[in-house]
Amino acid sequence: MRQILLFSLFLCYHYIYGQIPNLPQRPSVSNLYSIPAGLNNQPTPRPASPNINANSNLYKKKTTHQDDQEEINKEVERQMALIREEADAKRYNLSPLSEKKGTDSYYRAYDNLLKLDPEGYTLADAVFIVENAYNNNDRNFHSDYQQQIQKATSIIRQDIKKNGIDESDNVAKNLSIFKYFAQDTKQNGKVVHKAVKYDFDDYMGAKDYSKMFVSKLMKSNSGQCHSMPLLYLILAEQIGAEAFLVMSPNHSYIRFKDNDGEVLSVELTNGMFSANSFVLNSGYIKAEALKNKLYMQNLTKKEVLSQTYVDLASGYIHKFGYDEFVAKVLGKALELNPNNINATLWKSNTDQMRFMQACNRLGIDPENKEQLQKIRSYPPLEDQFLGIKAGFDYIDQSGFAQMPPEQYEQWLGSLKSTENKQKSDEIAERARLLNAQKQREEAKKVKAITPKKESPKVYAIPKEFL
């Protein structure tokens, strides 16, 4: 999982986590936004004639004149509100990056993600939309992505057929997917697919963000803990197997249940099975994080879709930077899953960047304590500051803890220890034995009707996403 770091904003600890200092009194709105001369000047009312009956024409003209003036005043107020809103957008929002080449691909990708049914979409489509945006809708990418998924799915289906695995056998189908990652695949004596390897070179995508992609994994046969679990889930969907994406600090992995209902955790980075204790032993999962459901939860389809929005925003940030489009994408991610800690961290970064840009426009140095006091003169800027502080408080209280890269590598490498390797073999063997026993019991049953098997569908990217 890509490491996400918070900007410190270079503000001293007191001014971020402590109380806001006593700053100057806020000026009135009229001092900030003065109305141009002439727009609010009222015409001089006509002198009233004595003893005018309410039904007279002169009275009606006077009333009509007042009504018209009220409408004019309301329209002036509406126009001024729009002017103030536009001024605020330019002054207090992030500078737009829409003029940069390639941003339109991301805008289209966001629209395409919105078309997906959060409960019934295909993950292969969602991942394609995200990675296609980074590749600027390259037609070669379209065809390569589709062909690679079709090839991987075909290899797994042939293994299922070869071993006589029933369509209802979820454990055996998951084991076939696991085998695709962990072992070389031979057909007619030839290796048609080699075991997937962990890519230790720039595994967080700091230099080349495409290292995070499923398409890169399929092309190079190497990936990391972001791309591997996503490909596993894509293939599980293609063959009709049930499995779940699970998050932990800097990491993600796969879970599915064996025939006894026990949860099996799959560490694709090492091609091994692990127990929950292995993840907890990282030392970076607090009780608060578990209570707030940040980690070690089986993500629903809606929650996985939330993560694809985060991936879209992350790719945009790496390629172009921060603007209000990023805020919109992350807002959708948090709408789908309010507990998405990755979306929360990126949102915090976005909020801080917005604050810094606004300070720069107003000539305020946020590193300087005296200058920082000036934010009281700009209510929208003060609100941004308070929002950032509230975001920091939420992150602290959520139980989030950032795992340093070197600690993550050490923890991940510990899976290969003799003890954990033995544990992995025991888990795998138990799953195989339970599954074999189930198959023997199923074989003894006499089926009155043998359902007709449908031909497996071949994955194709929907035309509306091309």
Side-chain angles (χ1 to χ4, degrees), residues 182-391:
Q183 301 177 13
D184 292 350
T185 304
K186 292 184 178 181
Q187 291 179 0
N188 299 323
K190 294 183 179 181
V191 176
V192 294
H193 167 72
K194 290 188 176 182
V196 179
K197 296 182 179 179
Y198 189 88
D199 187 356
F200 286 95
D201 180 25
D202 190 26
Y203 63 90
M204 289 187 176
K207 298 176 183 177
D208 179 6
Y209 188 69
S210 66
K211 290 267 189 153
M212 308 290 290
F213 291 166
V214 169
S215 54
K216 179 267 176 188
L217 162 58
M218 293 190 295
K219 188 174 182 179
S220 65
N221 211 44
S222 63
Q224 27 72 303
C225 65
H226 177 267
S227 57
M228 286 181 175
L230 285 179
L231 179 57
Y232 188 107
L233 284 183
I234 287 173
L235 298 176
E237 280 190 349
Q238 294 300 305
I239 67 168
E242 183 183 64
F244 298 94
L245 182 66
V246 185
M247 311 297 288
S248 66
N250 297 28
H251 193 62
S252 63
Y253 56 102
I254 294 294
R255 276 181 182 166
F256 65 89
K257 289 183 179 180
D258 67 15
N259 290 317
D260 260 1
E262 184 172 335
V263 174
L264 302 182
S265 297
V266 183
E267 287 291 348
L268 298 168
T269 54
N270 298 85
M272 295 170 63
F273 291 92
S274 69
N276 285 334
S277 58
F278 172 72
V279 177
L280 292 171
N281 286 341
S282 70
Y284 285 84
I285 298 183
K286 300 179 181 179
E288 295 87 349
L290 294 177
K291 180 180 178 181
N292 293 316
K293 299 182 179 181
L294 301 188
Y295 303 127
M296 300 184 72
Q297 301 289 317
N298 291 353
L299 298 187
T300 64
K301 283 188 72 70
K302 182 187 290 187
E303 290 167 342
V304 173
L305 184 60
S306 169
Q307 189 57 43
T308 65
Y309 278 93
V310 175
D311 291 341
L312 185 71
S314 179
Y316 186 93
I317 292 166
H318 280 82
K319 203 168 185 181
F320 308 111
Y322 290 87
D323 65 5
E324 295 302 330
F325 172 74
V326 172
K328 180 170 69 172
V329 176
L330 294 174
K332 184 63 180 179
L334 288 168
E335 177 187 327
L336 292 168
N337 180 14
N339 297 324
N340 190 327
I341 188 62
N342 294 323
T344 300
L345 294 174
W346 279 124
K347 181 182 182 299
S348 179
N349 285 1
T350 306
D351 292 343
Q352 293 173 66
M353 289 298 296
R354 184 188 295 109
F355 180 78
M356 292 185 71
Q357 285 189 16
C359 283
N360 290 335
R361 293 191 193 103
L362 296 168
I364 298 173
D365 181 2
E367 299 179 55
N368 186 293
K369 291 193 295 183
E370 287 71 25
Q371 289 198 25
L372 185 62
Q373 307 229 359
K374 296 179 181 179
I375 66 174
R376 282 287 194 197
S377 299
Y378 305 96
L381 191 60
E382 181 189 355
D383 289 342
Q384 287 184 12
F385 183 90
L386 292 172
I388 292 169
K389 179 182 180 300

Side-chain angles (χ1 to χ4, degrees), residues 16-262:
I16 287 296
Y17 291 97
Q19 296 296 318
I20 290 185
N22 293 324
L23 299 177
Q25 186 69 26
R26 295 186 187 176
S28 65
V29 174
S30 60
N31 291 335
L32 288 178
Y33 306 107
S34 58
I35 299 176
L39 285 183
N40 64 341
N41 292 336
Q42 303 244 347
T44 304
R46 298 177 182 178
S49 300
N51 301 321
I52 294 177
N53 189 283
N55 294 323
S56 68
N57 291 333
L58 184 57
Y59 182 85
K60 291 179 179 178
K61 287 181 179 179
K62 178 182 177 183
T63 305
T64 302
H65 172 75
Q66 290 175 339
D67 292 342
D68 290 345
Q69 187 59 46
E70 289 179 3
E71 286 301 317
I72 291 173
N73 290 343
K74 289 180 180 179
E75 181 59 27
V76 169
E77 290 177 4
R78 282 194 292 267
Q79 292 300 323
M80 290 308 301
L82 291 173
I83 291 172
R84 289 194 294 269
E85 184 178 340
E86 184 177 350
D88 280 353
K90 291 181 179 179
R91 180 178 289 183
Y92 298 110
N93 285 356
L94 288 159
S95 299
L97 301 173
S98 54
E99 78 284 353
K100 291 191 176 184
K101 184 179 180 181
T103 54
D104 57 329
S105 296
Y106 274 83
Y107 305 152
R108 182 181 176 186
Y110 176 75
D111 291 339
N112 282 333
L113 285 179
L114 290 177
K115 296 176 184 177
L116 299 179
D117 175 5
E119 303 292 351
Y121 69 96
T122 299
L123 183 57
D125 294 343
V127 170
F128 168 77
I129 290 170
V130 171
E131 299 185 10
N132 185 42
Y134 193 87
N135 286 278
N136 298 318
N137 297 324
D138 185 342
R139 288 207 167 273
N140 289 330
F141 176 77
H142 298 172
S143 57
D144 290 346
Y145 179 89
Q146 183 170 285
Q147 289 172 9
Q148 290 288 352
I149 289 181
Q150 290 175 354
K151 178 182 177 182
T153 305
S154 176
I155 290 173
I156 295 170
R157 281 178 176 154
Q158 289 184 36
D159 181 74
I160 290 173
K161 183 179 180 180
K162 176 183 176 182
N163 290 285
I165 297 171
D166 189 85
E167 281 296 316
S168 63
D169 192 344
N170 188 62
V171 174
K173 288 194 289 187
N174 270 285
L175 292 175
S176 289
I177 303 172
F178 176 76
K179 188 191 301 183
Y180 173 85
F181 281 85
Q183 301 177 13
D184 292 350
T185 304
K186 292 184 178 181
Q187 291 179 0
N188 299 323
K190 294 183 179 181
V191 176
V192 294
H193 167 72
K194 290 188 176 182
V196 179
K197 296 182 179 179
Y198 189 88
D199 187 356
F200 286 95
D201 180 25
D202 190 26
Y203 63 90
M204 289 187 176
K207 298 176 183 177
D208 179 6
Y209 188 69
S210 66
K211 290 267 189 153
M212 308 290 290
F213 291 166
V214 169
S215 54
K216 179 267 176 188
L217 162 58
M218 293 190 295
K219 188 174 182 179
S220 65
N221 211 44
S222 63
Q224 27 72 303
C225 65
H226 177 267
S227 57
M228 286 181 175
L230 285 179
L231 179 57
Y232 188 107
L233 284 183
I234 287 173
L235 298 176
E237 280 190 349
Q238 294 300 305
I239 67 168
E242 183 183 64
F244 298 94
L245 182 66
V246 185
M247 311 297 288
S248 66
N250 297 28
H251 193 62
S252 63
Y253 56 102
I254 294 294
R255 276 181 182 166
F256 65 89
K257 289 183 179 180
D258 67 15
N259 290 317
D260 260 1
E262 184 172 335

Side-chain angles (χ1 to χ4, degrees), residues 6-26:
L6 296 174
F7 292 120
S8 68
L9 263 185
F10 305 105
L11 299 177
C12 67
Y13 185 89
H14 173 78
Y15 283 90
I16 287 296
Y17 291 97
Q19 296 296 318
I20 290 185
N22 293 324
L23 299 177
Q25 186 69 26
R26 295 186 187 176

